[in-house]
Amino acid sequence: MLFRSVLYRLAVGYIKSGNGAKGVAMLGQLVKNYPNSRYKPEAHLAIAEQYFENNLFTIAKANYDEVLKFSDYSFYDYALYKLAWTHYNMQEYRLAIDTFKSVVEQKDDTLGFQKQAINDLVVAFAAVEDGWKEARTYFLSKRDKEFTYKKIGQMAGYLENKGEDDAAVEIYEWFITERPNNDRIPQWMESIVIAKKKDVNDLEGLEVAMNRFTAYLDPAGTWATENKDNVRAIGNADLLVESSLAYLSQFYHQRAQKYDEDNKVADAIPDYKKAAKYYKQFVDRFPNNANSFDMTFFLGDIYLLSLKNEGDGDENLQLAAQYYQKVIDLYQNKNLPKGVKEKDAAVFVKDAAFGVVQAYNELVKKNSPESILVLMAERTGTFKTDEKLKLGEGDANNQPVERDDKMLDFEEGFVRASDQWATLYPKDDVTPTIDYVAAEVYKSHDWFAEAVPRYESIITNAPKHEYASFAGASLLE
């Protein structure tokens, strides 16, 4: 008996000192030569542990099985627990699940392996198809719903880390259905969005999910109402919606621009429409967000440059003017969203001011072909000419031009936009041209009091400009 004790302790000593091979050999000798030794379970456990640590799981499994023949052994639960992990490492996942369950069912929880086993079942269930559903049923049979939610949530995170996104998405979708007003819903939705972004071939699926979540988290919706006092949850919801709308608007805008570069106009138009749709949603929902300022300008650009001939062209041109004007108003009223630098905004404002002029110019051309603005364009092409079109002499086709004192459709908007430009940028190279055209519009309706200051502005601010002489001649008239 003493020899067996010495042999066992010597073998264990070798293993602990790093000479595992020699220690295992001695333990093997012990169990072979002394099959009835009281050290037999300890010896098999030590052998199993040594092989487990060296990833030799088949031999480890055989020795854990030997340990489990001793049901009264104090480390029985531990050996059963390690056998479960051995099955798992051998990809025997169903056996691993059953063995972990056996650990949970053990009555003596002194060593705490029951608790550890029920936690580790998360990993084991995750390894089998639809394992999360099986795990849900099992955990509910053992504990309450909150415990089950916790464990299934851990499984979702584990599946995400393994790249098994489809299963993780199923779990998060179940969470949303099961707990529709939970404050963590924005986080679950974010996980779904992240997973779907990985599938570059399923833009439609990503877009559907983003639109669904945006609607779900609407400030007037049930979830937002239930969580209105939860600052963190509402903040998370806003971040998710902001990022989703920004992603979709920028994706479609950039793709539309690429189609334009490749002369694929027919492909570009639907993308411009979608970009405008998502920009508008962003601007309407987050007017104080710094990105909202740029997006407002982009809306003007899209409606003027890309969608002016789509559907009701008048409506799109008016929308262009509206969004450009909003950019200008935010700047002039010192109401820029927090985070927008004034000097950066100024660049957009100048383009926006010119965009308003362009939008109304297009509206006049489409709706009032008898306008002097249109006649000048037909005569000169670019409003630059060596001879002034004299009112009353006829249009470009030498037809009589009728005049009255009432502005034609959209002319008022044009002159108002022109005045705004001239006020903001009196010294700009294009200002004399804009001033001259606006003055001619007024003059065509005998609004001389309004025309005169614009002629004078050209002479004062751009005396050498080619339109200065025309302005002088008009004043003499």
Side-chain angles (χ1 to χ4, degrees):
M1 179 70 72
L2 180 61
F3 174 74
R4 299 171 196 171
S5 175
V6 171
L7 182 62
Y8 171 74
R9 297 183 186 283
L10 183 61
V12 171
Y14 276 123
I15 292 173
K16 289 181 177 180
S17 66
N19 195 344
K22 190 168 185 178
V24 166
M26 294 177 69
L27 290 172
Q29 182 182 356
L30 173 63
V31 297
K32 179 180 179 180
N33 295 333
Y34 306 99
N36 298 319
S37 170
R38 69 182 183 88
Y39 292 106
K40 186 173 183 180
E42 284 95 335
H44 279 298
L45 182 59
I47 294 170
E49 292 286 85
Q50 182 65 22
Y51 283 120
F52 186 95
E53 291 300 319
N54 287 281
N55 298 323
L56 297 170
F57 298 115
T58 300
I59 304 176
K61 176 183 174 182
N63 281 276
Y64 285 128
D65 283 337
E66 288 296 324
V67 176
L68 295 177
K69 292 178 181 178
F70 298 86
S71 58
D72 294 332
Y73 179 48
S74 59
F75 283 91
Y76 180 92
D77 289 359
Y78 174 75
L80 187 62
Y81 174 75
K82 290 299 293 284
L83 178 62
W85 273 112
T86 303
H87 285 308
Y88 180 87
N89 289 324
M90 295 175 70
Q91 299 183 14
E92 298 170 348
Y93 301 124
R94 184 56 60 187
L95 285 173
I97 290 170
D98 292 341
T99 307
F100 278 128
K101 286 182 178 180
S102 294
V103 177
V104 174
E105 297 301 324
Q106 295 302 303
K107 300 189 182 305
D108 184 3
D109 192 24
T110 304
L111 299 179
F113 290 108
Q114 285 88 334
K115 294 178 181 177
Q116 189 61 46
I118 203 168
N119 289 331
D120 292 340
L121 271 166
V122 168
V123 177
F125 277 123
V128 299
E129 187 175 358
D130 286 334
W132 76 270
K133 296 177 182 177
E134 187 178 341
R136 177 181 61 188
T137 301
Y138 177 78
F139 290 137
L140 283 171
S141 72
K142 295 298 177 183
R143 302 285 182 86
D144 59 16
K145 275 190 174 183
E146 288 305 315
F147 177 84
T148 301
Y149 292 148
K150 180 180 178 181
K151 292 295 123 185
I152 299 300
Q154 290 174 351
M155 185 182 295
Y158 177 75
L159 289 166
E160 279 186 275
N161 291 333
K162 286 180 64 181
E164 297 182 18
D165 296 310
D166 290 345
V169 166
E170 284 185 15
I171 292 174
Y172 292 129
E173 291 285 10
W174 175 66
F175 279 167
I176 294 170
T177 302
E178 183 77 4
R179 295 180 283 176
N181 294 318
N182 190 277
D183 63 357
R184 294 189 64 199
I185 275 185
Q187 293 162 272
W188 301 331
M189 290 178 171
E190 181 183 22
S191 293
I192 293 172
V193 167
I194 290 172
K196 288 185 175 295
K197 279 183 178 179
K198 295 178 184 178
D199 187 353
V200 296
N201 296 315
D202 188 22
L203 172 64
E204 182 180 358
L206 173 61
E207 185 174 6
V208 167
M210 286 180 165
N211 280 321
R212 178 162 59 93
F213 298 156
T214 296
Y216 195 105
L217 301 174
D218 187 278
T222 302
W223 181 89
T225 302
E226 292 292 324
N227 290 276
K228 64 180 184 300
D229 297 324
N230 190 327
V231 176
R232 178 186 58 80
I234 295 297
N236 287 337
D238 285 347
L239 287 174
L240 176 64
V241 175
E242 285 174 15
S243 62
S244 296
L245 293 176
Y247 178 92
L248 291 171
S249 57
Q250 291 167 11
F251 173 86
Y252 282 113
H253 197 177
Q254 291 171 4
R255 194 170 75 173
Q257 291 173 323
K258 182 63 170 63
Y259 282 140
D260 268 347
E261 291 173 5
D262 296 337
N263 294 316
K264 298 179 179 178
V265 178
D267 293 325
I269 294 300
D271 278 7
Y272 278 124
K273 288 180 178 179
K274 281 201 169 186
K277 168 188 171 182
Y278 293 122
Y279 279 139
K280 182 180 185 303
Q281 286 187 41
F282 190 104
V283 169
D284 289 347
R285 189 153 172 176
F286 306 107
N288 297 318
N289 185 288
N291 292 320
S292 184
F293 182 78
D294 294 4
M295 291 182 180
T296 302
F297 177 83
F298 294 151
L299 277 165
D301 259 10
I302 290 173
Y303 282 122
L304 174 64
L305 304 178
S306 304
L307 299 180
K308 66 180 180 181
N309 296 319
E310 292 300 309
D312 183 352
D314 283 3
E315 180 182 358
N316 287 347
L317 287 168
Q318 290 179 74
L319 285 170
Q322 172 188 320
Y323 284 112
Y324 281 139
Q325 189 61 50
K326 186 175 181 180
V327 170
I328 299 165
D329 292 343
L330 287 170
Y331 180 80
Q332 289 190 308
N333 296 333
K334 299 188 180 302
N335 196 28
L336 292 173
K338 185 178 180 180
V340 178
K341 295 181 180 179
E342 188 171 342
K343 67 175 183 179
D344 295 334
V347 177
F348 286 100
V349 170
K350 185 172 185 180
D351 288 341
F354 192 71
V356 180
V357 176
Q358 288 180 296
Y360 278 107
N361 177 50
E362 292 291 332
L363 284 164
V364 173
K365 285 163 60 179
K366 288 184 67 175
N367 292 276
S368 302
E370 70 274 29
S371 170
I372 186 65
L373 189 154
V374 178
L375 299 176
M376 291 176 71
E378 290 175 352
R379 182 71 174 268
T380 67
T382 60
F383 301 133
K384 293 183 179 180
T385 180
D386 291 333
E387 57 177 312
K388 183 165 68 72
L389 177 68
K390 295 187 181 296
L391 303 180
E393 291 184 350
D395 63 14
N397 297 312
N398 294 317
Q399 297 299 313
V401 179
E402 295 183 4
R403 303 299 176 197
D404 58 39
D405 60 358
K406 183 180 179 182
M407 286 278 188
L408 300 174
D409 288 344
F410 300 109
E411 282 187 332
E412 186 175 353
F414 175 81
V415 294
R416 194 167 55 242
S418 299
D419 289 348
Q420 176 175 252
W421 170 271
T423 300
L424 289 170
Y425 310 104
K427 300 292 185 180
D428 193 89
D429 290 344
V430 76
T431 301
T433 302
I434 292 177
D435 261 345
Y436 184 75
V437 176
E440 290 291 292
V441 171
Y442 279 123
K443 184 181 176 183
S444 71
H445 298 290
D446 297 333
W447 290 26
F448 300 115
E450 286 76 14
V452 167
R454 288 153 184 82
Y455 291 134
E456 290 176 340
S457 175
I458 299 170
I459 296 170
T460 301
N461 293 312
K464 296 183 179 180
H465 194 278
E466 59 183 309
Y467 279 129
S469 61
F470 298 158
S474 293
L475 286 173
L476 289 176
E477 291 181 6

